[in-house]
């Protein structure tokens, strides 16, 4: 965001919170007029982030995940949601593995993790090939 404001960068890939912050920054710095070109992770209904388990697995309840590694993108809204969800069910954060989204998908498909938090378009792709089933969707 600093580079955009300074005019050293014209296009930047940022997360949810910087997009929201940029609107506020526009009120403080009127000449800063950011435009959102595209964003991922959302569906028309506003959802698009899910905790996905392998199709056909014996995972049907949160307790079933207590000893399995779960992959998510660290410091993302998905990891925040996973932490809140785990706290709701009293699960420990120990099995959480922070990876990039591509590693979350490949770890999931390769059987290296018991579940993964995925967002669009990865979520739809994993469902369409029959590899995963959302356990919890938001």
């Amino acid at each position: 965001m600093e580079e955009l404001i300074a005019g050293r960068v014209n296009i930047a890939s940022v997360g949810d919170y910087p997009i929201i912050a940029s609107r506020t920054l526009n009120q403080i710095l009127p000449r800063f007029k950011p435009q959102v070109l595209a964003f991922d992770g959302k569906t028309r209904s506003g959802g698009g982030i899910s905790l996905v388990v392998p199709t056909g697995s014996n995972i049907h309840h949160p307790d079933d995940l207590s000893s399995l590694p779960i992959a998510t993108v660290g410091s993302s809204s998905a990891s925040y949601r996973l932490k809140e969800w785990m706290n709701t069910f009293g699960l420990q954060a120990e099995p959480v593995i922070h990876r990039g989204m591509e590693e979350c998908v490949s770890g999931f498909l390769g059987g290296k993790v018991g579940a993964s938090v995925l967002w669009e378009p990865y979520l739809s792709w994993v469902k369409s090939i029959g590899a995963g089933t959302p356990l919890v969707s938001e």
Side-chain angles (χ1 to χ4, degrees):
M1 293 304 299
E2 290 175 10
E3 298 297 312
L4 284 169
I5 292 168
R8 291 188 288 266
V9 170
N10 294 316
I11 297 175
S13 175
V14 298
D16 297 349
Y17 299 115
I19 290 171
I20 294 166
S22 70
R23 297 204 48 149
T24 302
L25 287 169
N26 174 250
Q27 295 169 354
I28 298 168
L29 305 168
R31 290 183 15 210
F32 179 62
K33 298 185 185 318
Q35 299 294 315
V36 175
L37 301 179
F39 61 94
D40 69 353
K42 307 292 182 266
T43 60
R44 288 183 183 178
S45 62
I49 297 177
S50 295
L51 176 63
V52 182
V53 298
T55 301
S57 70
N58 291 326
I59 302 168
H60 304 288
H61 191 270
D63 292 340
D64 299 334
L65 291 168
S66 62
S67 63
L68 298 173
I70 302 170
T72 188
V73 175
S75 301
S76 68
S77 57
S79 68
Y80 172 80
R81 290 176 175 137
L82 176 61
K83 182 179 177 185
E84 292 294 310
W85 181 80
M86 291 177 77
N87 287 339
T88 299
F89 290 98
L91 300 175
Q92 299 299 315
E94 311 309 326
V96 175
I97 302 168
H98 295 280
R99 300 283 187 259
M101 180 53 71
E102 290 167 8
E103 292 174 296
C104 288
V105 173
S106 64
F108 179 82
L109 294 175
K112 295 179 182 171
V113 295
S116 203
V117 180
L118 304 178
W119 57 69
E120 296 298 345
Y122 306 97
L123 175 60
S124 290
W125 178 69
V126 166
K127 289 184 342 187
S128 73
I129 64 171
T133 305
L135 182 63
V136 177
S137 295
E138 185 178 311

